[in-house]
Amino acid sequence: MNREILFPTPVYMKMVKDPKKLNKYLYPLIRSWSKKDKGEEKTNAGGGWHSKTDMNFKAEYKPLTEELFDMQEEIYKDYGMEPKPGLGNMWANINYPGSYNKQHLHPNSQWSGVYYVKVPENSGRLFVEDPRPGPNIILPRRKEGLPRALWRVVIYPAIEGQIIMFPAWLSHGVEMNESKEKGEKGWRVSISFNFIQVDKSLKPR
Ligand SMILES: [Fe+2]
């Protein structure tokens, strides 16, 4: 017999060009920002720090936003979108040991994602859930070892220097940081963002 997979949910992953250099540059900026600014309360739970969401307008983060645009433009080609993406907002997260991000999605955006700056061992992984209502109501008993495309929840390890992008409507969250490291060594640092689709009349980049 033949089979088609309809209505797929794409998740894209890409390493930046020089992860060590970029993270060495980004980490002190984010650390000092977190000392000066008490941040916002969003999906961050358990005491994690969530910066303000205007990070995309700060010139010092251009080395990262350039990488994000490059990847988003590749996605536009792969997914057949046009004309151009715009970076709607961006923010930094520090998940101290014991903190996590509640399950959520990103309204009014097209693509959302994360970039990993600092990831201690056992500091929490990203999980995404089957976005379709049907399979979440009917949960048949199934065999072990099915292909990933048929799972209901998929977990991605956090990898320093990696960008992950997924549709903004895909429900996701971050596990609790269970690092045993003391002080800053136990901090999990990431940057989240939302891309929108811009009109031809707007300057995209
Ligand atoms: Fe998110």
Side-chain angles (χ1 to χ4, degrees):
M1 65 180 175
N2 297 319
R3 183 180 69 177
E4 284 185 311
I5 296 282
L6 299 175
F7 317 120
T9 303
V11 177
Y12 295 95
M13 285 141 277
K14 188 183 182 184
M15 292 298 292
V16 298
K17 281 178 222 88
D18 193 341
K20 281 215 166 90
K21 187 176 166 200
L22 183 59
N23 288 342
K24 211 173 156 189
Y25 170 76
L26 290 172
Y27 179 61
L29 289 174
I30 295 168
R31 181 181 49 193
S32 61
W33 189 10
S34 74
K35 305 268 185 212
K36 283 184 282 211
D37 191 332
K38 71 175 179 52
E40 300 197 352
E41 241 176 77
K42 300 274 189 184
T43 66
N44 44 318
W49 180 73
H50 183 301
S51 79
K52 294 202 167 58
T53 59
D54 60 352
M55 193 176 181
N56 50 323
F57 294 109
K58 294 179 186 287
E60 64 266 36
Y61 295 109
K62 201 162 179 242
L64 175 65
T65 57
E66 288 292 304
E67 295 267 3
L68 299 181
F69 268 103
D70 287 348
M71 181 170 173
Q72 180 68 185
E73 282 165 7
E74 273 186 68
I75 291 174
Y76 263 53
K77 285 200 190 100
D78 188 59
Y79 205 63
M81 288 173 71
E82 56 184 12
K84 289 280 177 197
L87 187 51
N89 57 10
M90 185 167 99
W91 62 96
N93 311 286
I94 302 180
N95 283 18
Y96 308 113
S99 65
Y100 60 100
N101 294 84
K102 291 177 272 192
Q103 197 174 333
H104 62 282
L105 37 80
H106 294 215
N108 301 322
S109 304
Q110 291 279 352
W111 294 89
S112 300
V114 62
Y115 172 72
Y116 296 109
V117 178
K118 187 174 169 304
V119 182
E121 207 180 334
N122 296 324
S123 61
R125 300 167 300 175
L126 172 74
F127 59 89
V128 300
E129 289 217 348
D130 190 336
R132 301 166 302 168
N136 288 306
I137 294 168
I138 310 288
L139 294 173
R141 287 182 294 278
R142 298 189 303 179
K143 286 187 284 190
E144 294 285 315
L146 290 172
R148 282 165 76 77
L150 300 179
W151 295 0
R152 208 184 72 78
V153 176
V154 176
I155 293 174
Y156 289 94
I159 298 168
E160 289 177 0
Q162 188 180 60
I163 310 167
I164 301 182
M165 291 192 193
F166 47 84
W169 43 256
L170 183 60
S171 184
H172 61 280
V174 180
E175 296 172 328
M176 186 179 282
N177 179 350
E178 293 181 335
S179 170
K180 298 279 176 267
E181 298 278 3
K182 296 272 172 272
E184 262 179 67
K185 281 194 170 158
W187 294 8
R188 179 193 196 274
V189 181
S190 63
I191 296 169
S192 304
F193 51 84
N194 289 310
F195 274 94
I196 50 168
Q197 193 169 23
V198 296
D199 188 80
K200 277 193 180 103
S201 60
L202 298 170
K203 189 178 178 298
R205 187 174 189 176

